[in-house]
Amino acid sequence: MSELLLNGATRVYFIVGDPIAQVKSPAGVTEDCHARGHNAFVMPAHVAPADLAAWLAGVSLAKNLDGVIVTVPHKFACFDLCATSSKRAAFLHTVNVMRRNLDGSWHGDMFDGSGFVAALRDNGCQPEGKKVLLVGAGGAGSAIAHALLMAGVSTLAIHDADAQRRTTLLDRLAGLERGSLSHGSADPSGFDIVVNATPVGMQQGDLYPLDVERITPAMFVACVITAPAITPLIAAAREIGCNCMTGAHMFGRVRELMVDFLLGE
């Protein structure tokens, strides 16, 4: 990083979240920007939900701020702060990246889902026709659910500790008229692909977001968490003999899409 250019002409991006120490984007996206000949740096911003709107209004006054990457728990709230968005972000009411419109307002998009599906394929898991249990109906989970249905999964069951959030997502996804949708549980029995899209496993002492004793070796297990690199779920699934995908695999693909978006490519 010490060789990267930093001067008065540097363009600025933020990644905003609460917490923020776990994110990998500041280094990775900065390096990608410089590799493409763009003089820019990504800075972390630890912002509480109650302060998000005021924070964005304040930093938006900086004319060299070109974009914001959004992580938990701000993906739904940042959609409401965007003046415009992509069709998929509008469908999901969530964003994970924002860039400036010509008038200085914000345009949002959501790449967690498309990045997740691309990473699945990279790891030898083809989602077409598969039965999927998705745990987590938050911003990332919503995008992953949408992308899995668009990729042609046959069955998608969604489980979330917040029953209302799960139901809201399922009702929205029903409008796509793709695949069979249902309310899932912590029991992964009978599924081909099992996905953790919750923060469970991020904190020391966390156990599992679902019943790992019912995981079988034929299942493909994926987790969106990037730190720790190997969550308790992934460790347990590997011990059982499952093929797995970590959050780092997903993040690599999502990062590529976010940089394309931020640079207008």
Side-chain angles (χ1 to χ4, degrees), residues 17-107:
D18 182 21
I20 200 66
Q22 78 282 357
V23 299
K24 309 297 183 184
S25 294
V29 175
T30 297
E31 290 171 352
D32 282 358
C33 287
H34 281 256
R36 301 189 194 195
H38 191 70
N39 179 9
F41 267 79
V42 178
M43 298 300 298
H46 188 174
V47 180
D51 299 324
L52 180 67
W55 173 82
L56 184 65
V59 297
S60 295
L61 298 175
K63 297 186 182 299
N64 63 336
L65 174 64
D66 291 340
V68 178
I69 299 168
V70 185
T71 189
V72 292
H74 299 317
K75 295 180 181 182
F76 290 107
C78 278
F79 172 79
D80 293 331
L81 299 175
C82 289
T84 59
S85 70
S86 69
K87 289 183 178 179
R88 64 184 154 207
F91 178 83
L92 294 165
H93 293 182
T94 182
V95 299
N96 74 335
V97 65
M98 304 152 63
R99 71 183 179 205
R100 293 279 201 174
N101 288 314
L102 291 177
D103 63 0
S105 63
W106 293 102
H107 176 76

Side-chain angles (χ1 to χ4, degrees), residues 1-260:
M1 293 293 292
S2 60
E3 298 179 358
L4 297 181
L5 183 65
L6 177 62
N7 55 36
T10 298
R11 309 304 297 179
V12 176
Y13 300 106
F14 278 105
I15 177 166
V16 60
D18 182 21
I20 200 66
Q22 78 282 357
V23 299
K24 309 297 183 184
S25 294
V29 175
T30 297
E31 290 171 352
D32 282 358
C33 287
H34 281 256
R36 301 189 194 195
H38 191 70
N39 179 9
F41 267 79
V42 178
M43 298 300 298
H46 188 174
V47 180
D51 299 324
L52 180 67
W55 173 82
L56 184 65
V59 297
S60 295
L61 298 175
K63 297 186 182 299
N64 63 336
L65 174 64
D66 291 340
V68 178
I69 299 168
V70 185
T71 189
V72 292
H74 299 317
K75 295 180 181 182
F76 290 107
C78 278
F79 172 79
D80 293 331
L81 299 175
C82 289
T84 59
S85 70
S86 69
K87 289 183 178 179
R88 64 184 154 207
F91 178 83
L92 294 165
H93 293 182
T94 182
V95 299
N96 74 335
V97 65
M98 304 152 63
R99 71 183 179 205
R100 293 279 201 174
N101 288 314
L102 291 177
D103 63 0
S105 63
W106 293 102
H107 176 76
D109 207 337
M110 168 51 82
F111 296 106
D112 284 345
S114 50
F116 178 87
V117 169
L120 271 186
R121 299 188 192 282
D122 290 343
N123 283 272
C125 179
Q126 304 303 323
E128 292 84 357
K130 298 295 195 304
K131 297 179 180 179
V132 182
L133 172 64
L134 171 65
V135 183
S142 296
I144 290 168
H146 177 268
L148 286 169
L149 288 172
M150 299 304 290
V153 302
S154 64
T155 300
L156 178 63
I158 300 176
H159 174 57
D160 194 281
D162 185 333
Q164 182 58 51
R165 183 165 69 174
R166 176 193 60 192
T167 299
T168 298
L169 175 58
L170 284 167
D171 289 347
R172 183 173 294 131
L173 294 172
L176 295 174
E177 298 183 346
R178 287 175 175 262
S180 174
L181 296 169
S182 65
H183 293 261
S185 70
D187 183 356
S189 300
F191 292 95
D192 304 307
I193 302 172
V194 178
V195 182
N196 175 40
T198 77
V200 178
M202 186 183 296
Q203 302 297 326
Q204 187 173 7
D206 283 354
L207 292 177
Y208 309 112
L210 50 85
D211 187 353
V212 296
E213 293 184 358
R214 295 183 179 274
I215 292 175
T216 63
M219 296 176 181
F220 189 95
V221 178
C223 185
V224 305
I225 294 170
T226 58
I230 306 299
T231 61
L233 172 63
I234 294 297
R238 286 180 173 177
E239 186 172 346
I240 292 166
C242 301
N243 291 325
C244 297
M245 186 183 88
T246 68
H249 292 133
M250 171 185 164
F251 172 73
R253 280 298 202 166
V254 173
R255 187 176 77 187
E256 293 173 1
L257 296 169
M258 289 193 304
V259 174
D260 288 344

